[in-house]
Amino acid sequence: MKRVLITGAAGFLGSHLCDRFIKEGCHVIAMDNLITGNLKNIEHLFKLKEFEFYHHDVSKYIHIPGELDYIMHFASPASPIDYLKIPIQTLKVSSLGTHNCLGLAKAKGARMLIASTSEVYGDPLVHPQTEEYWGNVNPIGPRGVYDEAKRFQEAITMAYHRYHGVETRIVRIFNTYGPRMRLNDGRVLPAFIGQALRGEDLTVFGNGSQTRSFCYVDDLVEGIYRLLLSDYAEPVNIGNPDEITISQFAEEIIKLTGTTQKVIYKDLPVDDPMQRQPNIDKARSILNWEPKVNRAEGLKITYDYFKSLPDEELYKKEHNTFEGYIKK
Ligand code: UDP
């Protein structure tokens, strides 16, 4: 039985990975400091003997008894609002946290996969983004704490691979959505659906011409799993190339939810990337992977999930503060 450590296990992606590795017959060691994660996402696994949970911050020294085959480092805040609220933790988890995980991987002879991001491309000048593109990142802007930590994470991972011979994998994750996203984390999809459910207008930032390409979580997890099992150490984009403007996206959510509210326009946050679309040629050729779930199907499942949450979740105010993050 393979033993896998998943950091950020109580988060959106981490919890889906826990499910996948349990399904694959692995022993899952889940770790989370619960700053942005939620135990509800994994509580159904606690009864399993092949599942254990450590309440621990990976930025601090990690001790895991016994053998380890895989480490999946998915701990990190992942929404621009979160980076604003907890910038130091955001920097630490992908720098110190990655260093600790790599040290553990080296000590245990484990293979390690890190969750990198399309944010390493910044506000990209190459479109769609290929893995060869080095990016256009503002190191000192509000997103810098995330973008630069993720870039450092890739660098130290390649260094451990080259210098220590650790088996490493790097996935660059593009915008992903699905059940267990945090309803109030400020990201566009939960923001729009939450607004529709509360009967509020949908807030489009800027003029809404910026683009994103949204991947359904099951597709992403499949791509990540294939990458882990591959022998490819360089970064691979995983995402859905189906690109859409944020205005069009708001219209889709209005249709999906049947809300009678309208779109209102707000200021564009600083350094908000104008376009984002993955080139997935590498994933196609190396992993024989491409997304299968189209946006209509994925959004329906995600909407049903958000609808099923208790009202207190819907009305929990944990953000709504883009202050200091708006272009003056
Ligand atoms: N956005 C928006 N309204 C919102 C939240 C986000 O128009 O209520 C925009 C945001 O400015 C960005 C896009 O939606 O252009 C995606 O934002 P998100 O925070 O989901 O993720 P990002 O891809 O920017 O990291």
Side-chain angles (χ1 to χ4, degrees):
M1 188 185 247
K2 300 274 189 207
R3 286 165 55 86
V4 52
L5 169 67
I6 301 175
T7 76
F12 166 46
L13 297 182
S15 66
H16 283 280
L17 284 172
C18 288
D19 286 339
R20 176 62 188 255
F21 280 95
I22 289 287
K23 218 169 103 195
E24 296 293 337
C26 297
H27 182 96
V28 171
I29 300 159
M31 187 173 280
D32 206 299
N33 67 356
L34 303 177
I35 293 194
T36 57
N38 186 344
L39 281 182
K40 282 208 171 70
N41 292 335
I42 46 173
E43 67 185 1
H44 58 287
L45 300 173
F46 274 73
K47 58 181 183 292
L48 303 177
K49 64 177 184 329
E50 45 306 342
F51 182 82
E52 50 187 312
F53 178 73
Y54 285 70
H55 185 192
H56 181 71
D57 178 353
V58 282
S59 305
K60 311 230 165 75
Y61 183 85
I62 308 167
H63 174 71
I64 302 283
E67 292 179 6
L68 267 186
D69 297 283
Y70 304 128
I71 299 175
M72 310 292 287
H73 185 30
F74 277 69
S76 175
S79 105
I81 295 266
D82 287 340
Y83 324 146
L84 268 188
K85 282 204 298 207
I86 42 174
I88 316 287
Q89 287 97 326
T90 302
L91 278 159
K92 282 168 77 176
V93 71
S94 289
S95 53
L96 308 182
T98 302
H99 188 209
N100 288 335
C101 288
L102 284 163
L104 184 66
K106 178 167 155 264
K108 303 276 186 188
R111 182 180 297 179
M112 170 154 154
L113 183 145
I114 59 156
S116 188
T117 164
S118 54
E119 283 281 321
V120 300
Y121 302 122
D123 190 3
L125 305 177
V126 165
H127 191 75
Q129 293 78 57
T130 58
E131 289 86 347
E132 285 70 36
Y133 179 47
W134 291 350
N136 176 39
V137 169
N138 173 6
I140 59 167
R143 286 176 181 255
V145 294
Y146 183 66
D147 301 7
E148 294 297 357
K150 289 291 184 183
R151 289 167 69 96
F152 172 87
Q153 179 182 51
E154 291 197 5
I156 192 171
T157 298
M158 287 310 291
Y160 265 70
H161 174 65
R162 294 187 178 121
Y163 186 75
H164 287 307
V166 174
E167 281 190 39
T168 54
R169 307 287 178 264
I170 300 175
V171 57
R172 289 191 181 145
I173 298 172
F174 284 66
N175 293 67
T176 301
Y177 69 97
R180 302 186 192 152
M181 283 186 104
R182 234 161 75 224
L183 188 54
N184 295 306
D185 76 355
R187 279 184 288 180
V188 68
L189 183 144
F192 285 171
I193 292 186
Q195 287 161 343
L197 287 172
R198 287 187 298 267
E200 298 167 5
D201 291 333
L202 274 60
T203 52
V204 167
F205 298 157
N207 63 13
S209 64
Q210 71 272 36
T211 69
R212 294 293 185 272
S213 310
F214 297 98
C215 183
Y216 186 64
V217 62
D218 289 357
D219 282 334
L220 183 93
V221 166
E222 178 63 29
I224 288 171
Y225 192 72
R226 288 184 188 209
L227 177 61
L228 175 72
L229 298 189
S230 80
D231 59 3
Y232 194 74
E234 293 196 4
V236 178
N237 290 338
I238 300 282
N240 190 324
D242 187 3
E243 186 182 15
I244 184 173
T245 69
I246 294 301
S247 294
Q248 289 168 332
F249 190 57
E251 293 305 326
E252 282 192 4
I253 300 290
I254 286 174
K255 277 213 191 80
L256 170 76
T257 58
T259 176
T260 51
Q261 304 296 314
K262 58 182 190 314
V263 166
I264 53 170
Y265 291 87
K266 300 251 181 178
D267 292 334
L268 190 68
V270 175
D271 296 339
D272 200 287
M274 282 317 293
Q275 48 183 9
R276 188 181 285 155
Q277 183 192 32
N279 173 311
I280 58 165
D281 290 352
K282 256 191 190 177
R284 281 200 173 100
S285 64
I286 297 170
L287 311 177
N288 192 24
W289 173 89
E290 62 181 11
K292 299 262 181 291
V293 181
N294 68 36
R295 211 167 41 246
E297 296 168 80
L299 285 181
K300 167 96 178 58
I301 301 168
T302 310
Y303 177 48
D304 288 345
Y305 166 78
F306 282 131
K307 264 197 306 197
S308 75
L309 295 177
D311 267 8
E312 70 214 48
E313 287 291 323
L314 190 58
Y315 289 96
K316 191 159 79 188
K317 280 262 184 283
E318 49 166 312
H319 72 93
N320 281 349
T321 159
F322 259 111
E323 255 167 67
Y325 192 31
I326 301 295
K327 230 171 222 151
K328 291 277 185 273

